[in-house]
Amino acid sequence: MKQNLYNYILGIADNSLILGQRMGALTGHGPSLETDIACTNISLDLFGQVRSYYQYAAKVAGDKRTEDDIAMLRHEREYLNVLLVEQPDTDFAYTMGRQFLFDVYHFLFLTELQKSKDLTLSAIATKSLKEVSYHQRFSTDWIKRLGDGTEESNKRMQTAIDDLWTYTDELFHQTDADKEMVAEGIGVDVTTLKEAYYQKVADVLQESTLTIPESKYFQKGGKQGIHTEHMGYLLAELQYMQRAYPNMEW
Amino acid sequence: MSEEQIKYLEKQFEERIARDEKIEPKDWMPEKYRKTHIRQISQHAHSEVVGMLPEGNWITRAPSLRRKVALLAKVQDEAGHGLYLYSACETLGISRDELYEQLHSGKAKYSSIFNYPTITWADMGAIGWLVDGAAIINQVPLCNTSFGPYARAMVRVCKEESFHQRQGYEIMLKLSNGTPEQKDMAQDALNRWWWPSLMMLGPTDAESVHTEQSMKWKLKRKSNDDLRQQFIDQTVPQADILGLSIPDPDLKWNEEKGSYDFGEIDWDEFWQVVKGHGPMNKERMKARVGAWERGEWVRDAAMAYAEKQQERKEKQVV
Amino acid sequence: MILESTNNNQQSTINNNMSKTKNWPLWEIFVRSKNGLEHRHFGSLHAADADMALENARDVYTRRNEGVSIWVVESKNITASNPEHNGEMFEPAQDKVYRHPTFYELPDEVKHM
């Protein structure tokens, strides 16, 4: 099996899986019915992407594993998502902050992934890019509303951005699989996205009357499967049925 | 307006409905018609929105990705249906916020079935199959109800709802054909949801207060007991296909009637849940009120931002 | 679905600057199902501003691929005719039969006109 390609696909897909799981959990608990419906749509888009990626990964693996095995039957240390997407929904500002900080990256990443020599990945990227363009628009609008809304919303939005900021740098770390895939013309060199990312984020924060955090201390580890304490609980729910009732069809 | 005039208008109004004409929001209508419609449409909307909670409870734990997206889409549809119905209700001159207030204060009712807990994955199957099945029986006739906005909302709801029951039944089918453990799970869910589903079609005709008036206004086409019979007759063969047994020892085919006889419904339980003492009444309300209160600063922020933007635009023009 | 009385109440609340009770206003949503068809009234929803109304409309009313174009109009900006005036508004058009092709008699030999 092409281990690097396999790991590379998971590295992309796991982000969508964990973010989709977070967003999906909010269904029925949003600030308005309309917002609720919109957030569920984002979750559905992400799970749609996840399924395409994992189905491809299952093919690459070439054994009996299925998309669900990959999604639900790995140990925590084997999930390769960035720490950012597993952060909890402390309030709606964290939800939108997490979404925004990921969307800006996701958009830049998929734009490049479209050029991949791997035709499956490039096709998934092209399809996902339309969805993610909308996510980015949606979360950007909310950052502006909350940042430039009321005094309270500004404070909450700033707190969320300050807290989540520490997880942004990891988006641009290269893994071993990354390096191999870049060399083969399949993967995206994420280090090249960094400047455009922070520029875009800074522009939006500024327009939203928010302060760009100055902290230079960043957290990392997700890409190596070393997660925050939130991850175990998230996986406990995600995997509950597959673990409690192994080897069954649903 | 004199009493005589009102009587005349009322007579004309009833004749229009009898001729199958639709009533639109700005048309003259008897106060009672307005109030009854606000009550029924909002109850219906509340049921959709509270109904998101028991199924939403399993979104993070759905056993496969395919099931997860289907469940997400279904719960999202319920939000949509709540929204369509609140909008229909708003045409009668009451705001969504007032309707929420009625729900949150406990003044408004919603379908009691959502006060039962969803404790296993099979409950997602049973709810889709039985609860949505019963809901469809209730809802399809409403596509022809007399109040235009309600009828239009229901057309949309029914069109979208058609996948919900199939989804539920498919879940049950998979479980029934699965391992013994899965089959037990399915049977257990059927055991717990069967009677509440029958109760969902409303109290017996003898106890139902609104039926006659509702029939005239086409808010109802058949009596509760007739609907219940229809539901049982269509559901029993579906249970047979699943190889599951309906938890009613008195259930048997009545050749003469051409339908099933069934056992006594525990109406004490029904009224207990209606009165707020079901297993999940308090939790459901806490979840709804909590979401609304946690969302307040968000909604306020969006309004404040919109006003600022408007002011900026106006300044630019000057 | 146009809201009348309550909308006016909301208006006055906004003017009073009572920030705590400001609710998102109601918008009417029109969707073009596919090019070649007109925009049709699909329903309504709440949103703080026009951009949000568009986004919400996209998520609420076109999630089953129902549309290619959306219009949003804040409900209070719609002026509706009063059904009490339906007699004078619409009935005079009923007897103007000469506006319809069937009013004119032609010999059977003339086909397709």
Side-chain angles (χ1 to χ4, degrees):
Chain A
M1 153 170 130
K2 296 174 179 168
Q3 191 65 47
N4 278 323
L5 178 60
Y6 181 78
N7 284 349
Y8 187 69
I9 300 168
L10 296 197
I12 305 169
D14 288 354
N15 288 334
S16 294
L17 174 74
I18 303 303
L19 190 58
Q21 175 81 356
R22 278 282 188 232
M23 210 49 160
L26 295 177
T27 303
H29 306 277
S32 79
L33 270 183
E34 285 84 352
T35 327
D36 219 303
I37 293 170
C39 289
T40 311
N41 263 359
I42 292 179
S43 177
L44 281 167
D45 285 344
L46 291 167
F47 280 120
Q49 296 165 13
V50 166
R51 297 189 66 191
S52 305
Y53 286 125
Y54 286 163
Q55 282 163 13
Y56 182 39
K59 219 167 93 185
V60 171
D63 47 25
K64 278 193 177 150
R65 76 187 87 175
T66 64
E67 57 172 41
D68 291 323
D69 296 340
I70 299 175
M72 299 173 182
L73 287 176
R74 280 178 285 155
H75 295 299
E76 178 173 332
R77 290 284 276 103
E78 295 165 320
Y79 283 85
L80 303 177
N81 57 283
V82 292
L83 301 177
L84 174 67
V85 293
E86 69 200 47
Q87 297 312 305
D89 296 277
T90 310
D91 66 13
F92 195 68
Y94 279 81
T95 304
M96 281 302 117
R98 181 184 65 207
Q99 190 66 38
F100 168 70
L101 291 173
F102 184 72
D103 287 343
V104 176
Y105 161 81
H106 204 186
F107 180 84
L108 294 169
F109 175 81
L110 290 173
T111 307
E112 290 306 308
L113 190 65
Q114 288 189 102
K115 302 172 196 156
S116 172
K117 276 189 191 160
D118 183 307
L119 295 181
T120 308
L121 284 182
S122 99
I124 299 174
T126 303
K127 182 179 174 289
S128 308
L129 190 59
K130 291 192 187 120
E131 297 166 347
V132 172
S133 306
Y134 186 78
H135 301 175
Q136 181 175 244
R137 180 173 141 187
F138 181 82
S139 61
T140 301
D141 282 354
W142 270 108
I143 299 298
K144 290 184 200 165
R145 287 188 194 110
L146 299 182
D148 194 13
T150 62
E151 205 175 309
E152 179 183 5
S153 72
N154 176 276
K155 214 159 94 189
R156 284 176 183 265
M157 197 62 244
Q158 188 67 55
T159 308
I161 291 290
D162 289 347
D163 278 1
L164 294 169
W165 197 254
T166 187
Y167 302 111
T168 53
D169 191 64
E170 189 193 10
L171 292 163
F172 310 101
H173 293 193
Q174 270 192 322
T175 62
D176 291 341
D178 273 18
K179 284 175 195 157
E180 288 297 325
M181 289 300 105
V182 172
E184 288 183 36
I186 291 173
V188 176
D189 181 354
V190 287
T191 58
T192 63
L193 308 177
K194 193 168 174 175
E195 203 185 311
Y197 175 85
Y198 281 109
Q199 187 57 54
K200 165 84 187 176
V201 168
D203 287 348
V204 173
L205 293 185
Q206 205 152 25
E207 202 190 325
S208 314
T209 69
L210 294 164
T211 312
I212 299 149
E214 279 173 15
S215 167
K216 295 276 182 281
Y217 296 102
F218 294 104
Q219 300 301 318
K220 60 178 185 204
K223 288 185 174 182
Q224 277 72 41
I226 303 169
H227 293 278
T228 56
E229 287 185 353
H230 307 295
M231 187 68 170
Y233 297 97
L234 186 151
L235 291 181
E237 289 189 25
L238 178 69
Q239 301 188 339
Y240 168 65
M241 289 297 290
Q242 292 278 348
R243 295 289 182 197
Y245 305 91
N247 304 316
M248 296 183 201
E249 279 185 43
W250 302 97
Chain B
M1 232 183 290
S2 73
E3 216 167 289
E4 212 169 297
Q5 270 174 311
I6 291 180
K7 272 221 175 97
Y8 175 72
L9 284 171
E10 275 177 0
K11 187 164 163 277
Q12 268 193 327
F13 181 85
E14 300 295 348
E15 282 168 5
R16 284 180 65 191
I17 294 182
R19 280 197 303 270
D20 256 339
E21 275 183 46
K22 298 285 179 214
I23 307 302
E24 294 297 342
K26 295 186 81 179
D27 292 350
W28 183 87
M29 61 183 77
E31 202 42 38
K32 195 170 165 214
Y33 182 88
R34 181 187 303 276
K35 285 211 172 109
T36 304
H37 276 77
I38 290 178
R39 195 187 59 235
Q40 170 155 345
I41 301 171
S42 66
Q43 262 181 30
H44 197 160
H46 296 327
S47 301
E48 295 281 357
V49 170
V50 177
M52 295 171 74
L53 298 168
E55 289 174 284
N57 184 34
W58 278 88
I59 287 173
T60 58
R61 292 178 293 168
S64 71
L65 292 173
R66 179 173 179 270
R67 291 287 176 218
K68 196 188 284 278
V69 290
L71 184 61
L72 266 166
K74 188 195 168 190
V75 181
Q76 183 191 42
D77 272 353
E78 281 154 13
H81 298 171
L83 193 152
Y84 307 152
L85 290 163
Y86 282 128
S87 299
C89 204
E90 282 181 273
T91 64
L92 290 166
I94 185 163
S95 71
R96 196 198 292 176
D97 304 82
E98 290 173 81
L99 295 169
Y100 272 158
E101 176 54 37
Q102 293 178 356
L103 173 68
H104 296 163
S105 66
K107 204 179 133 204
K109 296 265 176 276
Y110 56 88
S111 184
S112 276
I113 193 98
F114 302 119
N115 290 318
Y116 290 86
T118 52
I119 55 182
T120 72
W121 169 251
D123 291 6
M124 298 303 99
I127 288 183
W129 172 36
L130 301 173
V131 177
D132 289 305
I136 290 168
I137 283 183
N138 250 333
Q139 288 173 352
V140 168
L142 288 173
C143 296
N144 270 317
T145 192
S146 65
F147 185 53
Y150 193 24
R152 289 192 287 276
M154 289 315 300
V155 168
R156 192 176 287 276
V157 168
C158 288
K159 214 158 81 186
E160 296 186 350
E161 199 121 290
S162 54
F163 99 81
H164 295 180
Q165 197 190 9
R166 293 173 70 112
Q167 180 201 214
Y169 194 71
E170 196 198 71
I171 291 174
M172 292 303 269
L173 201 58
K174 202 83 182 171
L175 293 173
S176 307
N177 294 329
T179 63
E181 218 176 347
Q182 283 175 304
K183 194 165 179 179
D184 286 349
M185 195 192 275
Q187 181 65 55
D188 169 63
L190 172 56
N191 293 349
R192 283 181 289 108
W193 290 95
W194 175 253
W195 293 104
S197 299
L198 296 190
M199 294 176 198
M200 194 183 154
L201 293 154
T204 51
D205 296 348
E207 297 225 20
S208 183
V209 260
H210 306 298
T211 301
E212 200 189 328
Q213 181 73 84
S214 299
M215 293 268 190
K216 225 164 62 185
W217 288 340
K218 298 175 182 167
L219 277 169
K220 228 174 182 0
R221 288 277 157 111
K222 286 183 183 174
S223 75
N224 293 348
D225 287 336
D226 287 348
L227 291 172
R228 196 164 7 251
Q229 189 67 55
Q230 184 188 339
F231 174 72
I232 292 169
D233 291 345
Q234 81 177 40
T235 309
V236 174
Q238 294 166 354
D240 290 342
I241 294 173
L242 295 172
L244 300 177
S245 40
I246 305 273
D248 178 358
D250 297 325
L251 186 84
K252 62 172 180 294
W253 179 252
N254 183 327
E255 192 62 52
E256 211 173 301
K257 238 177 32 167
S259 64
Y260 284 91
D261 292 333
F262 54 97
E264 191 74 31
I265 293 173
D266 182 355
W267 291 110
D268 287 343
E269 176 182 322
F270 174 78
W271 290 113
Q272 177 176 336
V273 182
V274 169
K275 284 177 185 144
H277 306 291
M280 295 298 282
N281 295 57
K282 290 206 175 79
E283 300 237 13
R284 298 289 183 242
M285 263 322 96
K286 226 160 63 185
R288 282 314 314 156
V289 174
W292 187 242
E293 286 176 353
R294 278 194 308 278
E296 186 176 339
W297 70 270
V298 178
R299 296 189 301 275
D300 285 348
M303 272 319 285
Y305 176 78
E307 280 165 25
K308 280 188 208 174
Q309 288 297 98
Q310 190 62 35
E311 276 167 31
R312 280 170 202 154
K313 231 189 249 166
E314 279 160 16
K315 262 185 207 153
Q316 269 177 4
V317 174
V318 179
Chain C
M1 300 173 188
I2 302 162
L3 177 73
E4 318 265 306
S5 50
T6 341
N7 233 352
N8 297 335
N9 294 341
Q10 277 174 4
Q11 197 54 41
S12 60
T13 331
I14 287 168
N15 292 341
N16 288 341
N17 260 335
M18 288 164 57
S19 76
K20 273 297 165 200
T21 52
K22 250 178 268 172
N23 301 318
W24 292 357
L26 195 68
W27 298 73
E28 301 303 318
I29 311 304
F30 300 82
V31 177
R32 185 202 294 288
S33 307
K34 61 176 190 189
N35 275 7
L37 296 180
E38 67 276 65
H39 285 78
R40 198 166 60 78
H41 186 228
F42 260 46
S44 48
L45 49 74
H46 290 268
D49 55 41
D51 286 338
M52 195 202 279
L54 266 180
E55 288 172 7
N56 290 348
R58 178 253 194 200
D59 289 317
V60 172
Y61 288 107
T62 67
R63 64 186 190 283
R64 281 185 171 76
N65 205 14
E66 294 99 329
V68 295
S69 164
I70 301 175
W71 290 345
V72 299
V73 184
E74 199 175 335
S75 308
K76 68 172 188 200
N77 292 328
I78 291 182
T79 311
S81 65
N82 185 340
E84 277 171 33
H85 303 152
N86 274 11
E88 62 202 66
M89 288 281 277
F90 306 114
E91 277 172 29
Q94 280 172 5
D95 66 350
K96 309 294 191 292
V97 285
Y98 44 79
R99 290 196 216 275
H100 300 282
T102 46
F103 178 72
Y104 303 94
E105 286 174 23
L106 296 182
D108 290 345
E109 295 91 294
V110 184
K111 288 170 185 164
H112 309 301
M113 182 181 281

